[in-house]
């Protein structure tokens, strides 16, 4: 039997070997002069076997007959460290890392110290063994971090402190920041631009922009041109020359805030302006490679990087979805937004940024007014007016649609440029697979689906279209309606309240008035403006009045009693604020405003005072009813009504123009064969209104 002898202590020490790479040098500096060996050499073994093997100490793990001797291992570590320091001048980071850092240095103006610190941080984040070795330094505070890195990397302590300082290039560019809030391990204290930055910069040599993917990326090419934004011509008349001057003179602190509903073309406007000015355009990413959202803090760091990297180029930056930064707080819990927590930095950035920036948001709600005041221009992008929507449709898909289809699709008040361009792109890809003539239907269907998914109203008919046979002279109102239209044609200003029973022609008169004045009509019902969210109804009311001003349109709000109830009867604070908003907008509106209601009683007295004219609509007079019957019979191709028909008609005391329109619609699926049948149908409508049951009889 052979007995294996234990090796003597002298035989256990291996000759110090030359390190293979700079990571080994850094690990030895961590363990020896920086004292990491105290945690590394645990009782009876190594704290991390992978680190031991990486440093050539694997024999202590593989030989079961060896007793673990911490003192002897410390001696070996000192020998290894001396050997590594002797050849330290020959050790360098991987060539790809050095080359990529050189490119970034030229782009962002990094110093030699900055480059060495980022190289180390990148390898620390990417090399698990180096990271584990650095953990032997324990929890570190920010005050000692610069001195530690200076010794670890062989740099001047003062230079490292300047490099890691809050005003250094690394912090300003966002490439690397120090977590100053808490003590922690070395890797956690050195926070790189993104989670994938280390992987990218250690990969093969690449373009600097490729290193910044997931944080900053070139914007997509523009699909629209400035002519597609004629509806904000007043804003463009200022915005375009301002940006032109800013890019030509390298003006600092240029910030444009664009807001509007989703799909109104905010991003496309930025792209169109960049193309017009001959500038590169870069987007600050809002999600990472896995599609997960990027936090507001990370996005601000990416923005800082973009400012540093592109300040020497003729470039513009887009920061979309600014709610991630400016409105991500929670007022209920007292949690501040990212911007509020970084208020001084945000304010300084908005004053000193070298690359002009577009800040994009769906709403200004929730954003601190103190920030809004610091933007050079604040521009709202509304949905384009109908004429502009038709133009965008023709430009995007005129070869797929005829004029009738363009006009029909453009009827939707919610139709935005982004919806049109995306839908047109889809249909073009499958056009050759569709049956002949199916493209218009496909476009209309896709647009409807997109709008419905966004919770936006769909318009299947022209809101300004008048009912067949409409004549303002055949309405029973207490004002001469045609004469009123003549007066408004000269003033183009007036606030009218149309009240009366349902179906008496109030809303139709608003349509007719817009047509007579030669003005577009904006028609809103209460459901279009009311919202379940506190404050959003007021915003919708304000937006409706602003849009009417901008488009020089007649503003018609149906069921206005929903917004003008007597404030003394209000039970909730939002009821008061909604009435106040409506009153304020009415007072300041200089155009033609028409409000209709079936419920005049209960309106706020202040609202009644603000209406220039209150017009009562009532049931038809006998001669008006007779004239309407003759017109509808002619329209439906029926014979002229006889004396018996007119006698039956005159007996109806609750007859309204809406009843005639209802019977005409019934004719589409239940044909009315004679004037007598038409009158009988009117009798049924009146009977329902009077709650006395339908009249008995058959259609002739």
């Amino acid at each position: 039997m052979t007995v294996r002898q234990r090796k003597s202590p002298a035989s256990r020490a291996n000759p110090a070997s030359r390190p293979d790479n700079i990571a080994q040098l850094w690990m030895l500096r961590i363990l020896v002069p920086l004292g990491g060996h105290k945690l590394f050499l645990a009782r009876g073994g190594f704290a991390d076997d992978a680190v031991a093997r990486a440093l050539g100490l694997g024999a202590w793990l593989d030989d079961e007959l060896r007793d673990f001797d911490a003192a002897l291992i410390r001696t070996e570590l000192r020998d290894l460290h001396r050997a590594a320091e002797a050849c330290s001048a020959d050790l360098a980071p991987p060539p790809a890392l050095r080359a990529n850092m050189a490119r970034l240095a030229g782009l962002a103006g990094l110093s030699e110290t900055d480059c060495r610190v980022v190289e180390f941080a990148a390898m620390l984040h990417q090399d698990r063994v180096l990271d584990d070795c650095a953990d032997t330094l324990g929890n570190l505070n920010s005050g000692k971090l610069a001195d530690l890195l200076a010794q670890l990397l062989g740099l001047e302590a003062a230079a490292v402190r300047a490099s890691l300082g809050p005003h250094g290039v690394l912090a300003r560019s966002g490439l690397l920041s120090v977590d100053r809030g808490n003590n922690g391990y070395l890797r956690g204290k050195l926070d790189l631009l993104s989670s994938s930055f280390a992987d990218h910069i250690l990969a093969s040599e690449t373009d600097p922009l490729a290193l910044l993917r997931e944080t900053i990326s070139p914007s997509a090419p523009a699909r629209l041109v400035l002519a597609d934004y004629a509806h904000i011509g007043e804003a463009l008349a200022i915005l375009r020359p301002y940006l032109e001057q800013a890019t030509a003179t390298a003006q600092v602190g240029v910030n444009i805030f664009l807001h509007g509903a989703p799909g109104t073309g905010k991003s496309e406007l930025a792209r169109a302006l960049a193309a017009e000015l001959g500038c590169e355009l870069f987007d600050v990413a809002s999600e990472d490679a896995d599609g997960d959202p990027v936090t507001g803090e990370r996005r601000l760091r990416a923005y800082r990087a973009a400012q540093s990297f592109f300040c020497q180029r003729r470039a513009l930056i887009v920061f979309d979805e600014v709610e991630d930064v400016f409105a991500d707080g929670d007022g209920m819990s007292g949690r501040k937004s990212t911007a509020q927590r970084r208020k001084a930095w945000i304010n300084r950035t908005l004053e000193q940024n070298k690359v002009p920036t577009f800040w994009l948001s769906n709403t200004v709600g929730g954003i601190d007014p103190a920030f809004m005041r610091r933007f050079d221009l604040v521009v709202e992008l509304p949905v384009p007016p109908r004429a502009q929507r038709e133009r965008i449709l023709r430009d995007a898909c005129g070869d797929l649609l005829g004029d009738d289809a363009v006009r029909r699709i453009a009827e939707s008040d919610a139709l935005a440029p982004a919806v049109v361009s995306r839908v047109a792109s889809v249909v073009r890809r499958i056009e050759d697979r569709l049956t002949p003539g199916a493209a218009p239907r496909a476009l209309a269907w896709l647009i409807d689906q997109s709008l419905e998914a966004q919770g936006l109203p769909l318009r299947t008919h022209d809101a300004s279209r008048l009912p067949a046979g409409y004549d303002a002279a055949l309405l029973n109102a207490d004002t001469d309606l045609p004469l009123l239209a003549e007066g408004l044609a000269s003033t183009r200003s007036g606030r009218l309240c149309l009240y009366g029973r349902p179906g008496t022609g109030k809303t139709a008169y608003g349509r007719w008035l817009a047509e007579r004045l030669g003005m577009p009509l904006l028609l809103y019902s209460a459901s279009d403006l009311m919202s379940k969210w506190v404050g959003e109804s007021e915003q919708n009311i304000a937006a409706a009045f602003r849009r009417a001003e901008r488009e020089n349109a007649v503003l018609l709000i149906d069921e206005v009693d929903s917004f003008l109830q007597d404030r003394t009867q209000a039970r909730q604070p939002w009821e008061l604020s909604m009435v106040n908003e409506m009153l304020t907008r009415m007072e300041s509106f200089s155009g033609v405003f028409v409000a209709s209601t079936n419920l005049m009683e209960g309106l706020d007295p202040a609202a009644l005072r603000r209406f220039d004219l209150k017009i009562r609509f009532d049931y038809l007079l006998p001669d008006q009813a007779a004239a309407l019957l003759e017109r509808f019979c002619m329209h439906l191709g029926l014979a002229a009504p006889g004396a018996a028909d007119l006698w039956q008609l005159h007996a109806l005391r609750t007859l309204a123009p809406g009843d005639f329109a209802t019977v005409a619609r019934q004719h589409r699926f239940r044909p009315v064969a004679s004037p007598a049948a038409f009158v009988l149908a009117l009798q049924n409508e009146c009977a329902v209104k009077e709650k006395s049951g339908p009249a008995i009889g058959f259609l002739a």
Side-chain angles (χ1 to χ4, degrees):
M1 178 177 178
T2 303
V3 179
R4 186 172 181 180
Q5 299 291 325
R6 290 185 178 273
K7 297 180 181 179
S8 64
S11 67
R12 295 172 191 164
N14 296 321
S17 59
R18 177 188 176 94
D20 297 327
N21 56 65
I22 198 169
Q24 290 177 315
L25 171 63
W26 290 336
M27 287 192 286
L28 289 167
R29 286 176 176 173
I30 288 170
L31 295 175
V32 180
L34 292 175
H37 65 275
K38 297 173 185 177
L39 290 178
F40 178 61
L41 300 178
R43 179 181 296 179
F46 297 110
D48 192 296
D49 291 351
V51 173
R53 292 188 185 281
L55 294 176
L57 301 174
W60 291 95
L61 299 168
D62 298 332
D63 192 338
E64 296 179 357
L65 296 179
R66 282 192 170 188
D67 292 329
F68 189 82
D69 190 330
L72 185 55
I73 295 173
R74 281 196 295 271
T75 300
E76 287 191 44
L77 285 173
R78 285 193 292 269
D79 292 342
L80 288 169
H81 174 243
R82 279 193 295 270
E85 292 292 356
C87 63
S88 60
D90 300 328
L91 300 176
L97 174 58
R98 269 291 164 93
N100 287 331
M101 277 307 308
R103 291 185 176 88
L104 279 183
L107 198 61
L110 303 179
S111 68
E112 184 71 18
T113 300
D114 295 332
C115 291
R116 301 295 80 80
V117 170
V118 174
E119 287 171 353
F120 170 75
M123 292 185 66
L124 182 66
H125 279 252
Q126 197 263 353
D127 188 330
R128 177 66 179 272
V129 177
L130 177 60
D131 179 25
D132 289 342
C133 183
D135 288 349
T136 63
L137 296 172
N139 283 326
L140 305 171
N141 62 55
S142 302
K144 296 180 179 179
L145 184 62
D147 291 336
L148 183 148
L149 284 177
Q151 189 171 355
L152 177 57
L153 303 179
L155 300 171
E156 293 291 333
V160 176
R161 278 193 290 272
S163 177
L164 296 179
H167 303 299
V169 177
L170 293 182
R172 292 202 313 271
S173 68
L175 278 175
L176 184 145
S177 65
V178 175
D179 180 3
R180 303 179 189 279
N182 303 290
N183 292 347
Y185 291 118
L186 184 56
R187 184 180 187 272
K189 298 293 288 183
L190 301 176
D191 193 13
L192 289 170
L193 178 61
S194 70
S195 58
S196 61
F197 178 80
D199 293 334
H200 294 328
I201 201 168
L202 279 158
S204 58
E205 297 180 27
T206 186
D207 179 82
L209 279 181
L211 299 174
L212 305 175
R213 57 183 176 270
E214 300 177 27
T215 54
I216 308 160
S217 60
S219 187
R223 291 179 292 187
L224 300 178
V225 295
L226 293 186
D228 293 316
Y229 291 90
H231 56 294
I232 57 165
E234 187 175 3
L236 287 178
I238 301 171
L239 181 54
R240 187 188 181 284
Y242 180 65
L243 284 173
E244 193 170 32
Q245 184 272 341
T247 53
T249 61
Q251 179 180 336
V252 300
V254 176
N255 295 281
I256 313 298
F257 191 94
L258 304 178
H259 67 100
T264 48
K266 300 180 291 294
S267 298
E268 283 295 333
L269 175 58
R271 292 166 187 161
L273 282 165
E276 183 79 10
L277 298 172
C279 294
E280 297 178 277
L281 187 67
F282 297 94
D283 296 332
V284 175
S286 58
E287 58 183 38
D288 60 21
D290 297 325
D292 296 323
V294 180
T295 65
E297 292 279 0
R298 284 286 178 188
R299 298 196 69 203
L300 282 180
R301 289 188 59 185
Y303 174 69
R304 292 202 299 267
Q307 286 291 332
S308 295
F309 298 150
F310 305 132
C311 61
Q312 302 300 321
R313 303 168 75 152
R314 186 175 173 83
L316 304 172
I317 295 173
V318 171
F319 197 119
D320 200 356
E321 299 178 21
V322 302
E323 298 90 340
D324 292 348
V325 172
F326 289 96
D328 60 340
D330 185 348
M332 296 292 290
S333 65
R335 179 170 57 86
K336 293 183 177 181
S337 69
T338 300
Q340 288 170 327
R341 294 196 303 272
R342 301 287 182 267
K343 192 167 187 176
W345 184 90
I346 290 287
N347 290 340
R348 188 166 58 250
T349 295
L350 294 177
E351 294 170 355
Q352 300 175 1
N353 58 300
K354 295 181 179 180
V355 184
T357 302
F358 295 103
W359 303 81
L360 276 51
S361 176
N362 293 334
T363 177
V364 295
I367 299 179
D368 190 337
F371 293 129
M372 295 301 301
R373 289 193 294 268
R374 294 182 178 272
F375 292 103
D376 301 326
L377 283 84
V378 177
V379 179
E380 180 183 10
L381 266 74
V383 173
R386 176 171 175 167
Q388 189 69 9
R389 296 197 296 270
E390 288 189 12
R391 182 189 183 282
I392 293 172
L393 275 166
R394 287 192 173 93
D395 288 347
C397 44
D399 57 324
L400 301 175
L401 297 173
D403 287 344
D404 288 344
V406 167
R407 285 192 292 269
R408 185 175 66 254
I409 294 173
E411 288 170 4
S412 174
D413 291 340
L415 186 63
V419 174
V420 173
S421 60
R422 280 194 295 269
V423 166
S425 175
V426 170
V427 174
R428 288 189 189 285
R429 289 191 179 97
I430 62 172
E431 183 182 6
D432 59 344
R433 298 174 181 268
L434 297 174
T435 57
R441 292 193 302 276
L443 278 164
W445 185 85
L446 288 170
I447 287 172
D448 281 355
Q449 292 298 304
S450 177
L451 296 179
E452 187 173 18
Q454 298 173 60
L456 298 173
L458 305 179
R459 302 295 189 201
T460 57
H461 65 280
D462 188 349
S464 64
R465 187 177 301 158
L466 288 167
Y470 184 86
D471 186 344
L474 298 181
L475 300 179
N476 185 14
D478 59 4
T479 297
D480 188 326
L481 298 178
L483 187 62
L484 173 62
E486 291 180 15
L488 289 172
S490 62
T491 63
R492 299 281 169 155
S493 177
R495 299 187 289 262
L496 311 180
C497 178
L498 314 182
Y499 69 97
R501 298 178 184 275
T504 50
K506 302 180 294 296
T507 303
Y509 177 70
R511 295 186 177 115
W512 178 84
L513 181 61
E515 186 177 283
R516 286 294 294 268
L517 298 179
M519 299 171 67
L521 174 70
L522 295 182
L523 172 60
Y524 294 94
S525 65
S527 61
D528 293 331
L529 301 176
M530 293 284 279
S531 171
K532 63 181 179 180
W533 303 111
V534 175
E536 194 165 275
S537 296
E538 292 88 329
Q539 294 176 20
N540 293 340
I541 291 169
F545 278 92
R546 287 198 304 270
R547 183 181 174 192
E549 288 271 16
R550 185 172 54 247
E551 298 183 18
N552 191 28
V554 172
L555 176 60
L556 172 56
I557 298 182
D558 202 4
E559 304 165 1
V560 77
D561 47 277
S562 301
F563 306 104
L564 292 176
Q565 288 295 315
D566 191 337
R567 285 170 290 181
T568 62
Q569 304 301 314
R571 297 181 179 180
Q572 301 293 336
W574 58 265
E575 293 177 310
L576 284 174
S577 63
M578 194 164 59
V579 175
N580 289 336
E581 182 66 31
M582 178 65 80
L583 293 176
T584 300
R585 295 295 169 176
M586 287 173 58
E587 185 73 31
S588 61
F589 186 62
S590 60
V592 178
F593 172 52
V594 180
S596 67
T597 178
N598 301 330
L599 304 171
M600 192 66 166
E601 298 78 12
L603 293 190
D604 194 275
L608 296 177
R609 291 194 300 270
R610 280 171 171 78
F611 285 113
D612 302 323
L613 190 63
K614 279 75 72 176
I615 306 171
R616 183 174 184 271
F617 285 67
D618 209 341
Y619 292 130
L620 293 170
L621 298 173
D623 58 336
Q624 292 174 326
L628 273 178
L629 179 61
E630 291 176 358
R631 292 193 181 192
F632 273 88
C633 286
M634 182 182 299
H635 177 70
L636 298 181
L638 306 179
D645 302 321
L646 295 177
W647 184 83
Q648 292 282 344
L649 186 70
H650 291 171
L652 301 177
R653 301 304 180 192
T654 59
L655 196 59
D659 298 323
F660 286 84
T662 298
V663 174
R665 290 195 302 272
Q666 293 173 6
H667 178 72
R668 294 176 300 178
F669 53 86
R670 190 177 68 165
V672 177
S674 67
F678 201 110
V679 172
L680 182 58
L682 291 173
Q683 290 173 334
N684 283 328
E685 292 301 318
C686 290
V688 170
K689 286 189 292 185
E690 296 164 5
K691 298 183 179 180
S692 59
I696 304 300
F698 299 92
L699 294 179

